[in-house]
Amino acid sequence: MEPLDDASPRPGVDYPGTWPEFLRWFGSDESCARYLEQLRWPKGFVCPRCSGTRAWRIAGGRWMCGGCGRQSSVTAGTIFDKTRTPLTTWFAAVWYVTNQKYGVSALGIQRVLGFGSYETAWTMLHKLRRAMVRPDRDRLSGVVEVDETYVGGDEEGTRGRETMTKSLVAVAAEERGRGIGRIRLERIADASADSLEPFIVELIEPGSVIHTDGWGGYAGLKDLSFQHRVTNISRSGQPAHEVMPRVHRVASLLKRWILGTHQGAVRQEHLDYYLDEFTSRFNRRRSRKRGLLFYRLLEQAVDTSPAPYERLAGGAPDPRITRMERRHKMLGALDQKG
Ligand SMILES: [Zn+2]
């Protein structure tokens, strides 16, 4: 849950506002660890095993639980777990990532932080990406345009074997006046109701007005407690980008971003993380407080389970698949209710 306004973090008090301030605050791994402790345990240490709060510090910045005897550290169970990269480097990476308006590539991180290894930079960046969108994010509401778009494919300038075939991405964009409010993006298997409805049910508040074209995959929305506004593009006589301007704008920005920032070299199994990063950056595009983004990303980072390199690099099953399955169950439950 978002903190109330009066509890909002303050620049210079809760997070550094400038680069010199950053350097003063985070000069050692110990000062970084203390900072993470404040984010993870604002009311003091909580044991990950027994939830006990009686504990004491032992060597190496670790904690010993007085209740169950478990030893743990502030990075255990987070994206920083078992990392060989010093926390000072992680913090510099987070600062860099949150201060680049259009995002960064692994090569950029490698250069700026002076890593010998591209792989290390790549792994850090992907772990941070996972932390960029909160799993408990708020749902969109009001009037929301929904459409699908294809992303990727050889003809869009990707090279060699590191290409992906086209992926179908569902796009949802809130109407805010004539502009765009918040957005959500998700890779979907196909444009059937079975794929589109879970996306809408999970990411958009019931009762919202869903604005789509006349595609049959959206025909069941009324039965899912949404209001459905349909604009039949071919019959409207207007081009699609005029009738549904927001989703088309988001789709074209997304494609340009993937080509520009990542030279189009996004492998299909990583597309989900890129979609999360784009969503996070887009939804915070008006934020002038870069330091606050730094704070939020670290806050989410200590709230995120670790992702070993092997899983990020592919091979093990994609966690999103189970999310999709969960959604199908949810829809099943809705069907039974109705
Ligand atoms: Zn314990």
Side-chain angles (χ1 to χ4, degrees):
M1 200 199 289
E2 292 290 321
L4 298 171
D5 273 351
D6 56 3
S8 289
R10 292 146 298 168
V13 178
D14 297 308
Y15 57 84
T18 62
W19 175 242
E21 219 165 60
F22 173 89
L23 292 176
R24 274 203 304 280
W25 283 38
F26 303 119
S28 68
D29 282 345
E30 202 197 342
S31 55
C32 295
R34 294 283 166 123
Y35 189 75
L36 292 181
E37 284 176 4
Q38 284 170 29
L39 289 175
R40 186 171 183 184
W41 303 310
K43 290 173 189 149
F45 176 85
V46 180
C47 174
R49 184 199 277 163
C50 73
S51 302
T53 54
R54 202 164 52 84
W56 56 89
R57 243 179 232 288
I58 54 174
R62 297 171 67 78
W63 291 82
M64 164 80 86
C65 175
C68 71
R70 162 94 166 227
Q71 292 186 18
S72 56
S73 70
V74 69
T75 54
T78 74
I79 65 166
F80 308 116
D81 205 4
K82 297 185 179 71
T83 180
R84 265 176 257 157
T85 306
L87 282 179
T88 47
T89 307
W90 272 106
F91 274 51
V94 172
W95 184 264
Y96 178 65
V97 163
T98 49
N99 276 277
Q100 303 297 309
K101 194 172 175 195
Y102 297 107
V104 294
S105 63
L107 200 60
I109 288 251
Q110 187 191 5
R111 284 187 188 135
V112 166
L113 299 181
F115 280 127
S117 150
Y118 175 83
E119 197 175 75
T120 307
W122 186 91
T123 306
M124 283 181 89
L125 193 53
H126 276 72
K127 285 184 175 182
L128 289 175
R129 246 172 219 134
R130 290 186 73 245
M132 282 187 121
V133 172
R134 284 164 186 265
D136 58 344
R137 54 200 185 173
D138 296 334
R139 286 166 164 173
L140 305 188
S141 58
V143 181
V144 183
E145 291 180 7
V146 176
D147 203 356
E148 330 86 51
T149 187
Y150 280 100
V151 175
D154 293 341
E155 67 273 56
E156 290 196 334
T158 49
R159 310 162 298 203
R161 290 188 149 267
E162 287 252 307
T163 59
M164 58 178 194
T165 51
K166 278 182 179 298
S167 294
L168 191 60
V169 172
V171 182
E174 284 177 336
E175 283 188 28
R176 187 166 296 169
R178 304 188 61 168
I180 307 174
R182 297 168 299 166
I183 63 163
R184 296 285 182 257
L185 299 169
E186 191 143 294
R187 187 159 59 95
I188 51 175
D190 52 45
S192 68
D194 276 354
S195 298
L196 290 166
E197 287 177 357
F199 170 76
I200 290 168
V201 166
E202 182 166 307
L203 299 177
I204 303 175
E205 219 37 79
S208 302
V209 178
I210 313 285
H211 184 193
T212 72
D213 59 24
W215 173 246
Y218 298 109
L221 284 180
K222 273 209 182 73
D223 307 329
L224 294 170
S225 65
F226 293 103
Q227 300 176 59
H228 190 199
R229 182 195 299 168
V230 182
T231 303
N232 200 312
I233 307 269
S234 56
R235 249 182 275 155
S236 73
Q238 284 174 284
H241 65 267
E242 284 174 21
V243 179
M244 307 259 291
R246 293 167 191 82
V247 285
H248 285 93
R249 173 100 182 114
V250 169
S252 85
L253 285 173
L254 169 70
K255 288 170 195 179
R256 211 185 302 162
W257 179 75
I258 287 178
L259 284 177
T261 307
H262 306 290
Q263 286 81 48
V266 175
R267 289 166 64 190
Q268 186 163 13
E269 62 265 39
H270 300 140
L271 180 62
D272 296 329
Y273 301 118
Y274 289 97
L275 295 180
D276 281 354
E277 180 181 353
F278 181 87
T279 302
S280 174
R281 288 187 185 281
F282 187 92
N283 289 342
R284 288 160 185 187
R285 66 199 181 283
R286 292 200 188 89
S287 175
R288 299 251 157 101
K289 295 181 189 157
R290 314 309 294 181
L292 181 59
L293 301 185
F294 168 86
Y295 174 92
R296 292 280 183 229
L297 180 47
L298 278 179
E299 192 181 44
Q300 290 164 53
V302 291
D303 195 31
T304 303
S305 62
Y309 173 75
E310 304 78 58
R311 202 169 86 214
L312 287 174
D318 185 342
R320 300 297 171 102
I321 303 300
T322 50
R323 214 173 125 199
M324 193 69 99
E325 284 168 0
R326 214 178 60 229
R327 252 190 256 162
H328 277 106
K329 272 192 206 138
M330 188 168 70
L331 276 175
L334 275 177
D335 280 350
Q336 277 160 20
K337 256 193 261 168

